[in-house]
Amino acid sequence: MTEFGQRFGSVLRTRDTVLLEGDIGSGKTHFARAVLQSLMATPEDVPSPTFTLVQTYNLPIGTVWHADLYRLSDSSEVIELGLDDAFNTDICLVEWPERLGVLTPKHATKICFQVVGVDARRLTIEPGTVDWQARLEDLL
Protein backbone atom coordinates (compact mmCIF):
# COMPACT_ATOMS: atom_id res chain seq x y z
CA MET A 1 0.00 0.00 0.00
CA THR A 2 2.83 2.38 0.86
CA GLU A 3 4.66 1.75 -2.40
CA PHE A 4 1.52 2.20 -4.48
CA GLY A 5 0.66 5.40 -2.59
CA GLN A 6 4.11 6.79 -3.34
CA ARG A 7 3.79 5.96 -7.04
CA PHE A 8 0.26 7.35 -7.11
CA GLY A 9 1.53 10.65 -5.68
CA SER A 10 3.87 10.99 -8.64
CA VAL A 11 0.95 11.33 -11.08
CA LEU A 12 -1.15 13.84 -9.12
CA ARG A 13 -1.81 17.27 -10.60
CA THR A 14 -3.51 20.46 -9.49
CA ARG A 15 -7.34 20.15 -9.43
CA ASP A 16 -7.22 16.36 -8.94
CA THR A 17 -9.80 14.99 -6.52
CA VAL A 18 -9.38 11.41 -5.34
CA LEU A 19 -12.23 9.79 -3.44
CA LEU A 20 -11.09 7.06 -1.04
CA GLU A 21 -13.88 4.58 -0.28
CA GLY A 22 -13.80 1.58 2.02
CA ASP A 23 -14.60 0.26 5.46
CA ILE A 24 -12.79 1.36 8.61
CA GLY A 25 -9.34 -0.24 8.60
CA SER A 26 -9.25 -0.86 4.87
CA GLY A 27 -6.19 1.33 4.29
CA LYS A 28 -7.55 4.71 3.16
CA THR A 29 -5.56 6.78 5.67
CA HIS A 30 -2.41 4.68 5.22
CA PHE A 31 -2.63 5.24 1.46
CA ALA A 32 -3.21 9.00 1.86
CA ARG A 33 -0.21 9.27 4.20
CA ALA A 34 2.02 7.51 1.67
CA VAL A 35 0.79 9.84 -1.09
CA LEU A 36 1.37 12.96 1.01
CA GLN A 37 4.80 11.90 2.25
CA SER A 38 5.86 11.14 -1.32
CA LEU A 39 5.07 14.74 -2.26
CA MET A 40 7.03 16.31 0.63
CA ALA A 41 10.58 17.56 0.14
CA THR A 42 11.35 15.98 3.53
CA PRO A 43 8.75 13.43 4.64
CA GLU A 44 7.17 14.26 7.98
CA ASP A 45 4.39 12.92 10.17
CA VAL A 46 0.96 13.02 8.53
CA PRO A 47 -1.80 12.93 11.14
CA SER A 48 -5.20 11.49 10.39
CA PRO A 49 -7.81 14.21 9.82
CA THR A 50 -10.44 12.17 11.69
CA PHE A 51 -10.93 14.83 14.37
CA THR A 52 -9.83 17.96 12.50
CA LEU A 53 -11.84 16.87 9.42
CA VAL A 54 -9.30 18.50 7.08
CA GLN A 55 -5.53 18.84 6.99
CA THR A 56 -3.92 21.00 4.31
CA TYR A 57 -0.35 20.79 3.09
CA ASN A 58 1.49 23.41 1.07
CA LEU A 59 3.80 21.22 -0.99
CA PRO A 60 6.03 21.75 -4.02
CA ILE A 61 3.25 20.36 -6.25
CA GLY A 62 0.70 22.79 -4.74
CA THR A 63 -1.82 22.71 -1.91
CA VAL A 64 -3.09 19.26 -1.00
CA TRP A 65 -6.19 18.73 1.16
CA HIS A 66 -6.64 15.50 3.10
CA ALA A 67 -10.21 15.24 4.36
CA ASP A 68 -11.96 12.65 6.50
CA LEU A 69 -15.69 13.26 6.28
CA TYR A 70 -16.76 10.38 8.53
CA ARG A 71 -18.05 12.69 11.27
CA LEU A 72 -20.07 14.97 8.96
CA SER A 73 -23.81 14.79 9.41
CA ASP A 74 -24.79 16.84 6.37
CA SER A 75 -23.14 17.63 3.04
CA SER A 76 -23.60 21.37 3.68
CA GLU A 77 -20.75 21.08 6.18
CA VAL A 78 -18.43 20.45 3.22
CA ILE A 79 -19.04 24.06 2.15
CA GLU A 80 -18.19 25.31 5.65
CA LEU A 81 -14.85 23.49 5.41
CA GLY A 82 -14.08 25.15 2.05
CA LEU A 83 -13.60 21.79 0.44
CA ASP A 84 -16.02 22.51 -2.41
CA ASP A 85 -13.80 25.39 -3.56
CA ALA A 86 -10.64 23.29 -3.16
CA PHE A 87 -12.01 20.75 -5.66
CA ASN A 88 -11.52 23.38 -8.37
CA THR A 89 -8.12 24.72 -7.33
CA ASP A 90 -6.11 22.17 -5.34
CA ILE A 91 -5.44 18.47 -4.95
CA CYS A 92 -7.94 16.73 -2.67
CA LEU A 93 -7.79 13.29 -1.06
CA VAL A 94 -11.19 12.57 0.49
CA GLU A 95 -12.01 9.73 2.86
CA TRP A 96 -15.70 8.83 3.33
CA PRO A 97 -16.67 10.67 0.12
CA GLU A 98 -20.27 9.40 0.25
CA ARG A 99 -20.80 12.23 2.76
CA LEU A 100 -20.31 14.71 -0.11
CA GLY A 101 -23.72 13.93 -1.59
CA VAL A 102 -24.53 16.27 -4.48
CA LEU A 103 -21.21 18.08 -3.93
CA THR A 104 -19.23 15.10 -5.25
CA PRO A 105 -17.05 16.43 -8.08
CA LYS A 106 -17.89 14.86 -11.44
CA HIS A 107 -14.18 14.83 -12.39
CA ALA A 108 -13.11 12.85 -9.30
CA THR A 109 -11.20 9.60 -9.47
CA LYS A 110 -12.48 6.93 -7.07
CA ILE A 111 -10.41 4.30 -5.31
CA CYS A 112 -12.33 1.59 -3.45
CA PHE A 113 -10.37 -0.27 -0.74
CA GLN A 114 -11.42 -3.80 0.14
CA VAL A 115 -9.85 -6.00 2.82
CA VAL A 116 -9.15 -9.46 1.36
CA GLY A 117 -6.81 -10.77 4.07
CA VAL A 118 -4.92 -9.77 7.20
CA ASP A 119 -2.28 -7.90 5.20
CA ALA A 120 -3.99 -7.86 1.81
CA ARG A 121 -6.14 -5.24 0.13
CA ARG A 122 -7.83 -5.07 -3.25
CA LEU A 123 -8.07 -1.63 -4.83
CA THR A 124 -10.57 -0.84 -7.54
CA ILE A 125 -9.87 2.41 -9.37
CA GLU A 126 -12.43 4.34 -11.39
CA PRO A 127 -10.73 7.15 -13.34
CA GLY A 128 -12.70 10.38 -13.28
CA THR A 129 -11.44 11.62 -16.63
CA VAL A 130 -9.77 10.32 -19.77
CA ASP A 131 -6.61 12.07 -18.59
CA TRP A 132 -6.69 10.01 -15.38
CA GLN A 133 -7.15 6.80 -17.32
CA ALA A 134 -3.93 7.51 -19.24
CA ARG A 135 -2.04 8.39 -16.04
CA LEU A 136 -3.21 5.18 -14.36
CA GLU A 137 -2.12 3.08 -17.31
CA ASP A 138 1.38 4.55 -16.93
CA LEU A 139 1.27 3.94 -13.17
CA LEU A 140 0.10 0.35 -13.27
Side-chain angles (χ1 to χ4, degrees), residues 47-86:
S48 170
T50 299
F51 295 103
T52 58
L53 302 179
V54 173
Q55 296 283 343
T56 57
Y57 301 87
N58 294 315
L59 302 173
I61 192 172
T63 301
V64 181
W65 293 58
H66 180 198
D68 183 330
L69 307 182
Y70 183 76
R71 296 183 322 124
L72 293 189
S73 56
D74 186 84
S75 62
S76 65
E77 294 173 272
V78 172
I79 296 169
E80 293 174 28
L81 294 172
L83 196 55
D84 60 320
D85 288 332

Side-chain angles (χ1 to χ4, degrees), residues 6 17 19 25 32 46 52-53 58 60 62 69 76 78 89 96 114 119 122 136 140:
Q6 292 168 341
T17 296
L19 308 177
V46 175
T52 58
L53 302 179
N58 294 315
L69 307 182
S76 65
V78 172
T89 58
W96 303 100
Q114 181 183 16
D119 290 324
R122 176 178 298 125
L136 289 172
L140 302 174

Side-chain angles (χ1 to χ4, degrees), residues 31-52:
F31 174 81
R33 279 187 180 119
V35 169
L36 287 160
Q37 288 174 334
S38 76
L39 298 171
M40 296 175 174
T42 302
E44 59 186 62
D45 185 43
V46 175
S48 170
T50 299
F51 295 103
T52 58

Side-chain angles (χ1 to χ4, degrees), residues 85-107:
D85 288 332
F87 292 146
N88 298 310
T89 58
D90 300 320
I91 296 169
C92 299
L93 304 173
V94 182
E95 298 183 46
W96 303 100
E98 60 275 8
R99 304 284 203 281
L100 291 169
V102 298
L103 298 174
T104 302
K106 304 242 184 289
H107 68 280

